[in-house]
Amino acid sequence: QVQLVESGGGLVQAGGSLRLSCAASGRTSSDYSMGWFRQAPGKEREFVASISWSGRTIYYADSMKGRFSISRDSAKNTVTLQMNSLKPEDTAVYYCAAALGLPSRRTDRYDYWGQGTQVTVSS
């Protein structure tokens, strides 16, 4: 079992920045890739970014490229999502997730999920 706890969400004005963190505990290992997803009210959960254990493989959703940056500290079992130039449409609950093997854009590839952290961007 892997436990994931997100932090860093909040309210920010459009154009601002937030930094989300995810702390992993339990059966963490070098086999796990990490991902960030988000879900806005009335919408499906969507992919944001993912990163391999080594950090060498990173994927972003097209709408986040250039604005969001994912990184991880494998020694500390943490993954971070730096979000810049935030827009009102970025408002959502952001989830951290862990998947065995290679990183993926697919929600069904992830085995463990955090409880989520709310990000609200005001216009």
Side-chain angles (χ1 to χ4, degrees):
Q1 291 287 334
V2 177
Q3 293 78 45
L4 303 171
V5 178
E6 303 95 336
S7 61
L11 174 64
V12 64
Q13 289 187 333
S17 299
L18 278 176
R19 187 178 181 89
L20 305 183
S21 293
C22 174
S25 61
R27 193 178 175 183
T28 56
S29 75
S30 59
D31 294 329
Y32 285 99
S33 293
M34 301 295 292
W36 285 97
F37 293 78
R38 69 185 186 184
Q39 188 166 18
K43 295 187 177 181
E44 292 187 353
R45 192 168 296 189
E46 65 171 342
F47 170 74
V48 174
S50 61
I51 187 168
S52 61
W53 175 262
S54 67
R56 288 195 289 265
T57 301
I58 292 175
Y59 299 132
Y60 293 102
D62 289 343
S63 62
M64 287 74 166
K65 285 182 181 178
R67 298 192 300 125
F68 291 9
S69 178
I70 189 172
S71 61
R72 72 186 297 169
D73 185 334
S74 296
K76 296 182 179 179
N77 291 324
T78 58
V79 62
T80 299
L81 184 69
Q82 177 68 42
M83 305 186 294
N84 300 324
S85 302
L86 284 163
K87 306 174 182 179
E89 51 264 43
D90 293 319
T91 295
V93 177
Y94 283 70
Y95 297 91
C96 175
L100 281 172
L102 296 174
S104 174
R105 295 178 173 89
R106 293 173 47 179
T107 56
D108 61 357
R109 279 276 293 111
Y110 289 80
D111 305 292
Y112 302 100
W113 293 83
Q115 293 299 308
T117 185
Q118 177 71 46
V119 171
T120 303
V121 184
S122 63
S123 58

